[in-house]
Amino acid sequence: MVKVKIFNPQNGSKIPLPVKFKLPAEIKGDYWVTKNSKGETIVAQRLYHDEENNFVAVVTFAGAQEELTFDHEISVDQVKGIKEIKTTQEKDAYVHLNTGKFDFELCRGTAMGEGSSKWGLRHFMAVDEKKDLLPSGNNAIGGFYGPFFTPDNGLINPAEHIIVDIEPIEDGPVMKKYRLFGRIPDGLKPELHGKRFALDWSFYYNVPFFSRTYQVDHFQTTVNNRSIVDKITVGDEFESGIGQLVFDRFAAYDGVWYREGDPYSGQLAKKVQELVHDSQKRSTRFENFRKQLTDNMENAHWDLYWRLFSVWENALTPDEIETNLQDVRQKAFVLAELNNRPWLYSSDPVNVSSVPDQTIFAGPATKSAEINTKTGQAMIWQTDQAASAFQIVQRPQSGWQNWGTNAENECPSLPVGSLIHTAYGPYQDNWREVADSLAAIVKIKTEIHA
C-alpha cells in the first residue's frame, strides 16, 4: 500500500490545488484511484516529462494536512476530467479545452500582424459565468512583448508576427501541459536578433487557475536608457466592447503604489496623428494605414498605432521609423520624469479608468488582481519572482484593458523563467487568500506499507 502525506503551510486552501509527487517504480500504470482522508475518490495521473515528479492529483485541503492512499489502477476512459472540444471560433486554434472551470482556445497565431493574429489563449471564459473575456478574438491572454516590442526597437509584439509551434508535454484528463515555441522576428536592434522562446502552459481539471513560464534566449539590451538583462513584458488582454470594462479596479496584495497617466502613449498618439494628417506621400502600405486611422483614434485598436512603426509592416523605412520614434522617446522620457505625476498609495483597489490616459504604472508585487466591482469576479496573478513594475490599462473608450509587467516607456520588468499562476472566479472579497493559495508550497511524504 502506498500513502502520500501532503502538508500545506497555509493550513487549508481557498481553492483546489494540483499536487505533484514521486512514487516508487513499482507503481505502474497511468491512472490510479486514490482515497483521501475523508474516503473521497481522487484520480492521480502519471507524469512523463517532469524531472522531479511522476504523478499529479488535485487536492482540496480542509486543514494543514491531507493523505492520499493509492487504491487501484483504472483506464483513461474511466477518468472524469478535461475535455477536448471541436474548435468553433478561431481557424488557428490548436486545441479547444473545457477544464471544468474554464473554456478557451489555445491558438498558434496567424503572423498577419493584427490584433486577431495573436497566439495564446483566446475566447477565455469561466464555465459557470459563460461570459467570454475575449469575445472578438482580437486580443489574447499570454503574449509577451518587451524588450522586443519597445519604442526603440521598431517592432510590434511577437505575438502578432509569428506562428508558434505547439507540442503536448503532458496529455491527460487531470493535467494538460503544452509548449509554445518559436523565433522572435528581428527589429532594429542587432543584439535582439535571432532570439527564440518557449512558453509552457499547464491546465488542471476543476482547478480555477492555470500556470505558465516563459523561457527566452539570453539577451542584454537597453530600454528607456536602462540596461535590461533577461527581463520581459508579459501582457494579458481583455475586451468587452466600447463603453464597458471586464474589470474596473486594480489591486496589489499590500496596497498599490502607483503613478497616474502615460505620457509615452500620448506622444505616440500625437506622432501618429502628425504622420497620418500630413500631406507627404509615402509607401502604398503607409497609405493603407492612413485610411484606417481616423480622427477617432482613441477607439482604434492600440496595436494599429504601433504597426506604423514596425519594420515588419514596411510602412515606413528604417530611417523614418528611427527618426520619428526618437522624437517620441525624447519627449516621453522627459515627461515621465517630471514631478507633476507623484507616486500615490491606495490600500483599496484603484479605479484605473478614472485617471488620465486610463493607465497607471504600479510598483513591485508578486500578487495582484483586477476586479469587477459589479459582478464580484476577479483575475488574480501570483508570480514566484516579483515584477518590478506594472502597466495597467482599463480603457472604456474601446473596452480594451491590459495587465502588463512593464514600467514606463515599455521597460520590461518580469525576470525570464518566472512561474505565473493566474486564477479567475468570484474572488473580489477574498482574492488575497486565493493568491496565498496560489503561492502555497506543499511538502510531500511518501509511505510504503507492505
Side-chain angles (χ1 to χ4, degrees):
M1 179 186 297
V2 174
K3 289 187 176 182
V4 177
K5 293 185 177 181
I6 309 164
F7 304 91
N8 184 354
Q10 194 187 4
N11 191 26
S13 175
K14 293 299 177 183
I15 56 176
L17 296 178
V19 177
K20 299 175 183 178
F21 43 86
K22 189 171 185 64
L23 295 184
E26 53 262 33
I27 300 296
K28 308 292 185 183
D30 289 340
Y31 304 100
W32 279 77
V33 170
T34 75
K35 298 292 182 66
N36 67 9
S37 303
K38 296 180 180 180
E40 299 167 331
T41 296
I42 296 174
V43 174
Q45 171 187 319
R46 181 176 293 278
L47 301 176
Y48 281 95
H49 297 92
D50 189 311
E51 294 181 358
E52 298 180 358
N53 305 288
N54 59 6
F55 273 93
V56 61
V58 175
V59 177
T60 300
F61 289 88
Q65 181 177 336
E66 187 53 84
E67 185 175 276
L68 299 182
T69 301
F70 274 63
D71 193 79
H72 61 276
E73 185 181 350
I74 58 173
S75 61
V76 65
D77 59 314
Q78 296 175 283
V79 182
K80 185 178 181 181
I82 299 173
K83 297 178 181 178
E84 291 193 24
I85 307 169
K86 182 180 179 181
T87 58
T88 57
Q89 300 188 73
E90 300 301 331
K91 293 181 179 179
D92 63 312
Y94 174 82
V95 68
H96 182 180
L97 295 182
N98 183 323
T99 69
K101 287 293 184 180
F102 303 135
D103 185 299
F104 57 85
E105 291 185 345
L106 179 62
C107 294
R108 298 185 62 213
T110 66
M112 296 301 293
E114 301 174 347
S116 58
S117 301
K118 297 176 183 178
W119 47 258
L121 299 189
R122 308 247 285 277
H123 300 293
F124 180 94
M125 71 176 181
V127 172
D128 293 340
E129 188 183 26
K130 293 183 173 61
K131 176 184 177 182
D132 194 341
L133 305 190
L134 295 159
S136 77
N138 249 355
N139 294 289
I141 297 172
F144 79 97
Y145 311 101
F148 306 95
F149 168 47
T150 65
D152 51 353
N153 193 40
L155 180 69
I156 199 168
N157 56 73
E160 293 189 358
H161 288 91
I162 59 173
I163 297 174
V164 296
D165 291 312
I166 303 179
E167 61 181 16
I169 305 300
E170 304 291 348
D171 191 14
V174 178
M175 175 188 178
K176 290 186 180 292
K177 182 176 182 178
Y178 301 96
R179 178 164 296 158
L180 282 65
F181 55 98
R183 182 188 183 279
I184 301 168
D186 296 338
L188 296 178
K189 288 191 166 185
E191 69 269 24
L192 295 177
H193 288 184
K195 302 300 182 182
R196 301 189 64 86
F197 76 96
L199 164 57
D200 286 353
W201 296 88
S202 296
F203 308 100
Y204 306 92
Y205 178 60
N206 258 346
V207 171
F209 72 88
F210 54 89
S211 305
R212 56 192 144 145
T213 56
Y214 299 76
Q215 300 294 341
V216 185
D217 288 345
H218 169 69
F219 59 82
Q220 180 174 347
T221 188
T222 57
V223 178
N224 198 13
N225 293 330
R226 294 175 54 190
S227 174
I228 298 296
V229 181
D230 296 338
K231 288 187 178 181
I232 59 174
T233 297
V234 172
D236 289 351
E237 300 175 295
F238 312 97
E239 58 186 37
S240 53
I242 294 174
Q244 304 178 66
L245 287 171
V246 174
F247 304 110
D248 56 24
R249 297 291 188 277
F250 172 77
Y253 193 91
D254 295 314
V256 186
W257 280 100
Y258 66 101
R259 298 179 79 194
E260 298 179 345
D262 184 6
Y264 162 67
S265 68
Q267 291 303 308
L268 182 64
K270 287 180 181 179
K271 179 59 68 175
V272 173
Q273 288 274 21
E274 175 186 317
L275 289 170
V276 299
H277 288 100
D278 71 17
S279 59
Q280 181 178 343
K281 292 293 184 180
R282 297 185 178 85
S283 67
T284 301
R285 187 63 175 159
F286 180 90
E287 295 306 320
N288 289 336
F289 278 112
R290 196 196 297 269
K291 292 177 183 178
Q292 295 181 64
L293 289 163
T294 68
D295 291 333
N296 191 23
M297 289 183 62
E298 285 191 345
N299 291 338
H301 196 293
W302 181 253
D303 289 349
L304 194 59
Y305 296 21
W306 259 113
R307 290 172 63 192
L308 272 181
F309 305 106
S310 169
V311 294
W312 185 92
E313 294 283 359
N314 203 29
L316 298 170
T317 67
D319 286 344
E320 287 176 316
I321 293 172
E322 176 57 34
T323 299
N324 284 283
L325 288 184
Q326 176 67 10
D327 184 42
V328 170
R329 289 198 304 271
Q330 287 181 340
K331 293 175 180 176
F333 290 178
V334 171
L335 291 172
E337 297 306 321
L338 295 180
N339 293 324
N340 61 345
R341 296 167 55 235
W343 281 96
L344 305 173
Y345 174 78
S346 177
S347 58
D348 297 321
V350 178
N351 182 357
V352 178
S353 65
S354 69
V355 310
D357 305 312
Q358 296 79 47
T359 302
I360 64 171
F361 289 93
T366 58
K367 300 170 185 175
S368 60
E370 293 204 51
I371 298 166
N372 187 317
T373 56
K374 295 179 181 179
T375 65
Q377 296 290 108
M379 186 76 77
I380 304 162
W381 293 266
Q382 184 270 328
T383 59
D384 65 345
Q385 300 183 73
S388 59
F390 295 87
Q391 180 179 12
I392 307 300
V393 183
Q394 296 177 352
R395 185 172 289 136
Q397 293 99 320
S398 61
W400 178 84
Q401 55 195 115
N402 182 66
W403 174 91
T405 63
N406 61 282
E408 297 202 45
N409 302 309
E410 304 290 346
C411 191
S413 67
L414 182 71
V416 168
S418 298
L419 174 62
I420 306 173
H421 297 311
T422 308
Y424 179 68
Y427 304 131
Q428 175 182 351
D429 297 329
N430 69 334
W431 77 265
R432 287 179 174 84
E433 293 172 286
V434 174
D436 286 340
S437 295
L438 297 175
I441 300 176
V442 300
K443 296 182 179 181
I444 305 295
K445 181 180 179 181
T446 302
E447 297 179 354
I448 302 176
H449 302 274

